[in-house]
Structure formats: C-alpha cells, structure tokens
Amino acid sequence: MPRITESKVLIIATHGFEQSELETPRDDLKKAGAEVHVASLDGKEIKGWDGDDWGNTVPADLSLSDADLTAYDALVLPGGQINPDILRTKDEVLSAVKTFHNAGKVIAAICHAPWILIEAGVLKGREATSYTSISTDVKNAGATFLDQQVVADNGIVTSRNPNDLEAFVNKIVEEIEEGRHERAAA
C-alpha cells in the first residue's frame, strides 16, 4: 500500500474554482508529504472564485494534455460553480476521470465537482455527497446521496463544501494509503 509521502496527486481545475477547495487540498496534501501538481486546460495560471467575487490566481504546473496520468495515485477536483461546469464539457477531463476510475485510483470531488463525475459516468450505484444544490443531480445519476461531510465509496471521495475540507483531505490521504480500488470500467 502506498504511503502518502510516496504518492503523487493531480488537481485538475480551470477559472472559477472555489479558492479554498483547490488551495487547501493542494497545501495540506503537500504538508502530508505528497507530490501535488495542478493541471489547467492550457497549462496557464487560473483564477479562483472567493466569496462573491473573483479571487487569486494559482499557477498551473502543467497542462492536462501534458500530464502522465499513469504517474499519479489520486485525482482531486475542486468545486465552485464555474470550474466544474466548464470541466464537465471537456472530453479530455472526462477521459482523465475515466482513466483514474478504470485504474482503481482515488478520485476526490468537492462541492459542485461531482458534476464532473456524473458526466464521466462514475457515480451510478455509489454513495456520494455534494453541495446541496446539486443533490438532485447526484440522485438522478444513480447515486445514493448522503448529506455528510465526506463520503468514500470504493476510492471515490466526495464532500459538500469548504466547511468540510479537513475531513475531505483526511479521507483522500486514507484512500490513497489503502491502495488501488477494484471497480468495473466506466
């Protein structure tokens, strides 16, 4: 089983990500010893959303097309409304989610980011949570919605909002250290 100190985590995001939902997992997973990379669609910096307005920019380490998905142990998808709504329309993002899913790797999505998991077809038959306003979307995708801080179902970690970030990050670490998760292909 991999230790968090020997793991690599990929965060995929674009403009409009919820500031804390990218920065807290990135920073806390690094503090735990993981190597963490942020991939944007074009490899350029991305601007967050913080409260009621645009937030700070975050540098990207690479473009999604340059990421060697086989080198990573986990995928983290931050929420916000804008970021996941854009990402769920991008074939390369959905392909990345399916690649992680089919390889049994950890996939973690918070807030509105389960929209991406829904579009990739990986939530059906699973337990999951999300931001309250998309709970019907989660249910309509065939998942069992649980209103909990964090839900893990066979290596797929979902969480509700920024108030749940500590539990979200802790569960990501736990799931990475459990190793690969056997799942049917998406």
Side-chain angles (χ1 to χ4, degrees):
M1 294 196 212
R3 298 179 50 84
I4 192 65
T5 55
E6 300 163 353
S7 66
K8 287 180 72 174
V9 178
L10 181 65
I11 299 173
I12 299 174
T14 193
H15 300 290
F17 62 87
E18 179 68 34
Q19 200 80 45
S20 62
E21 293 174 358
L22 185 149
E23 291 177 344
T24 298
R26 179 198 63 194
D27 297 348
D28 289 359
L29 289 167
K30 282 182 179 181
K31 285 179 195 169
E35 183 178 342
V36 182
H37 297 141
V38 175
S40 66
L41 296 173
D42 60 6
K44 296 179 182 174
E45 70 181 16
I46 48 180
K47 193 167 189 71
W49 189 264
D50 194 4
D52 295 330
D53 203 353
W54 290 101
N56 298 320
T57 58
V58 168
D61 299 298
L62 70 166
S63 69
L64 179 54
S65 62
D66 288 337
D68 175 5
L69 302 181
T70 63
Y72 294 93
D73 301 293
L75 172 64
V76 175
L77 301 166
Q81 291 177 339
I82 301 167
N83 171 64
D85 198 32
I86 293 170
L87 293 181
R88 69 180 171 159
T89 68
K90 304 297 182 185
D91 290 338
E92 62 267 35
V93 174
L94 300 178
S95 177
V97 170
K98 290 176 186 178
T99 296
F100 275 82
H101 177 273
N102 296 346
K105 296 179 179 186
V106 174
I107 303 170
I110 187 168
C111 191
H112 288 73
W115 268 341
I116 303 165
L117 305 183
I118 291 167
E119 198 65 35
V122 302
L123 276 191
K124 186 175 184 177
R126 303 205 177 279
E127 293 182 339
T129 194
S130 67
Y131 194 72
T132 305
S133 68
I134 70 164
S135 63
T136 300
D137 298 337
V138 171
K139 294 172 195 170
N140 287 342
T144 300
F145 179 82
L146 302 173
D147 186 13
Q148 298 175 359
Q149 280 189 321
V150 65
V151 174
D153 187 327
N154 203 15
I156 297 179
V157 179
T158 51
S159 199
R160 299 177 302 192
N161 59 56
N163 296 328
D164 302 331
L165 279 165
E166 182 178 352
F168 182 61
V169 172
N170 289 341
K171 186 58 75 173
I172 292 168
V173 171
E174 180 183 321
E175 293 295 312
I176 288 171
E177 291 189 339
E178 283 182 7
R180 303 269 186 221
H181 296 79
E182 294 298 321
R183 299 187 283 250

